[in-house]
Structure formats: structure tokens, C-alpha cells
């Protein structure tokens, strides 16, 4: 038996989400159809549209924002001589939670991953190079995850910056190898930032 059209479409939409296989997509779609209140479904649909319509990537740092530029880039009290390069938005949030780091960010929105067909040009690297033309910047902290892809992305960027007169550091100490920044507790993350080492 074929599913009604609207269910098939919803299953298809759910299955486009990361970590959702066909079975889970089916389960979620039927949950929406059978169990969710209409009001909750409407709110859900509105939020989905709102995050796309109201948010954008900050043209300077790539962070997700509803202001142009984002609140961090426009904050005059931040140390504009340091940029922490992170993979995703959620890494900015993880570092911000510590309330210790006062520099700026650059969100790559991904990592270099040949297996997944993601090259350096597919992530936010060109805009980083553009930003570094500004003399104010003295240090770039490569704060990508400690996964193989995070490490190789950090190394790739370090190589690009080899000839530029900026200190390049890599977070390391205490972070579990293979881990995402957002899974590290605040103390570990703080130590990793403080213990960053010069890589060129
Ligand atoms: Zn920004």
C-alpha cells in the first residue's frame, strides 16, 4: 500500500535531516500525523520557516545571526586582535559559555572532508583570508574539533597562513581526541584554549 501523499512528503523531509534514517523518518512523520496537536504542528512549521527567513550567516564571521553584522562582530568591547576559527555555530556557543574568551570568531560552517566531497573552497576559508588582510589581527586560534577532519582542516589553514605575519595556535591539551568542542565540559575547553600552542 502506498502512503498518502502528504505522509510520503513528510517522511522524505524528515529523512533529509542528519542522523535520521528511513525508519526514524517514518516514525516521526506518523507521530506528527497521529499524535501531535495541530497547534504544536503549526508552531513547529512556523519555527522552521522563521530560522530560514530571519537568520543569516554573518557576512564577516559566518556565525548564524539575526543582525548584520552579528552581535559578536559589532561588540566594541571584544579583542579584535584574536580570531578563533571554529567548525560550527554551536562551537561559538560552547566557547561563549565559558565567558573567558573575548576575541572574535570565524565559523567555517564545515570541515574539509574529501570523503564527503567537501573541499577548502566549500567552507568559509576564503572569507577568513580576506579578514586577515586587516593588520589589527595578531593571532588565529585554530579551534576546530580534534577529529581527523578537524585536525586536517586546522593543518590546511595553518599552511595557508604560513607566510602571513600572524601567530597561529591550535587548541589541544585536555580535549579528548576525536571529540567535538561542544561535548567538552567548560573546564576542559577553557584549559584547551589556555594551553593552545604555537604551530608556526
Ligand atoms: Zn559576525
Amino acid at each position: 500500500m502506498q502512503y498518502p501523499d502528504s505522509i510520503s512528503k513528510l517522511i522524505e523531509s524528515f529523512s533529509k535531516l542528519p542522523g535520521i534514517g528511513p525508519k526514524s523518518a517514518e516514525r516521526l512523520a506518523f507521530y506528527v500525523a497521529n499524535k501531535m496537536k495541530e497547534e504544536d504542528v503549526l508552531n513547529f512549521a512556523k519555527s522552521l520557516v522563521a530560522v530560514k527567513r530571519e537568520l543569516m550567516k554573518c557576512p564577516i564571521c559566518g556565525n548564524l545571526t539575526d543582525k548584520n553584522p552579528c552581535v559578536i562582530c559589532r561588540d566594541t568591547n571584544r579583542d579584535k586582535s584574536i580570531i578563533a576559527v571554529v567548525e560550527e555555530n554551536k562551537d561559538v556557543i560552547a566557547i561563549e559559555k565559558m565567558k573567558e574568551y573575548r576575541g572574535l570568531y570565524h565559523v567555517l560552517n564545515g570541515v574539509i572532508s574529501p570523503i564527503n566531497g567537501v573541499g577548502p573552497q566549500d567552507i568559509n576559508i576564503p572569507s577568513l583570508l580576506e579578514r586577515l588582510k586587516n593588520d589589527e589581527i595578531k593571532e588565529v586560534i585554530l579551534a576546530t574539533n580534534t577529529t581527523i577532519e578537524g585536525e586536517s582542516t586546522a593543518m590546511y589553514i595553518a599552511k595557508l597562513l604560513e607566510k602571513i605575519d600572524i601567530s597561529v595556535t591550535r587548541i589541544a591539551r585536555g580535549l579528548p581526541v576525536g571529540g567535538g568542542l561542544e561535548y567538552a565540559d567548560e573546564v576542559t575547553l577553557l584549559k584547551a584554549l589556555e594551553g593552545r600552542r604555537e604551530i608556526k
Side-chain angles (χ1 to χ4, degrees):
M1 190 196 104
Q2 288 280 335
Y3 289 138
D5 237 19
S6 54
I7 276 281
S8 303
K9 279 187 183 148
L10 189 56
I11 293 173
E12 201 188 315
S13 296
F14 275 125
S15 62
K16 285 181 181 160
L17 297 174
I20 306 285
K23 281 265 168 276
S24 302
E26 205 174 33
R27 189 168 49 80
L28 289 170
F30 278 104
Y31 180 83
V32 173
N34 293 323
K35 301 269 164 67
M36 272 178 88
K37 282 194 231 144
E38 184 161 345
E39 187 193 347
D40 290 339
V41 174
L42 282 176
N43 283 334
F44 184 33
K46 274 188 204 154
S47 311
L48 286 175
V49 175
V51 290
K52 274 327 260 188
R53 292 217 176 127
E54 292 165 20
L55 295 184
M56 59 178 150
K57 285 178 182 144
C58 171
I60 300 171
C61 71
N63 200 7
L64 210 55
T65 177
D66 55 2
K67 296 192 170 63
N68 180 4
C70 75
V71 282
I72 294 174
C73 288
R74 66 168 63 200
D75 185 347
T76 51
N77 292 320
R78 298 197 73 116
D79 181 352
K80 299 214 184 310
S81 70
I82 307 180
I83 294 182
V85 177
V86 296
E87 290 180 23
E88 307 284 351
N89 234 96
K90 53 187 192 292
D91 302 327
V92 173
I93 292 162
I95 296 175
E96 282 299 287
K97 264 197 208 146
M98 304 185 308
K99 296 189 172 68
E100 287 287 332
Y101 178 72
R102 295 300 300 156
L104 302 174
Y105 293 92
H106 196 81
V107 184
L108 295 174
N109 285 307
V111 268
I112 298 169
S113 170
I115 292 174
N116 296 313
V118 183
Q121 69 287 351
D122 300 316
I123 59 174
N124 216 2
I125 288 179
S127 59
L128 173 66
L129 299 179
E130 207 48 48
R131 277 179 94 179
L132 297 183
K133 287 180 183 161
N134 181 340
D135 289 342
E136 241 185 321
I137 295 150
K138 304 279 178 260
E139 180 183 355
V140 169
I141 305 172
L142 298 170
T144 48
N145 292 342
T146 54
T147 54
I148 293 171
E149 288 167 341
E151 288 293 348
S152 52
T153 303
M155 290 309 120
Y156 179 87
I157 296 172
K159 191 112 185 77
L160 283 181
L161 306 186
E162 227 165 41
K163 296 204 170 65
I164 305 176
D165 184 27
I166 291 174
S167 163
V168 180
T169 55
R170 174 82 175 117
I171 53 159
R173 201 173 61 187
L175 278 185
V177 172
L181 249 55
E182 81 268 31
Y183 301 120
D185 63 88
E186 286 178 30
V187 176
T188 310
L189 192 50
L190 183 58
K191 283 213 168 104
L193 257 183
E194 284 172 350
R196 64 187 184 269
R197 64 204 149 78
E198 195 100 27
I199 54 173
K200 70 148 212 185

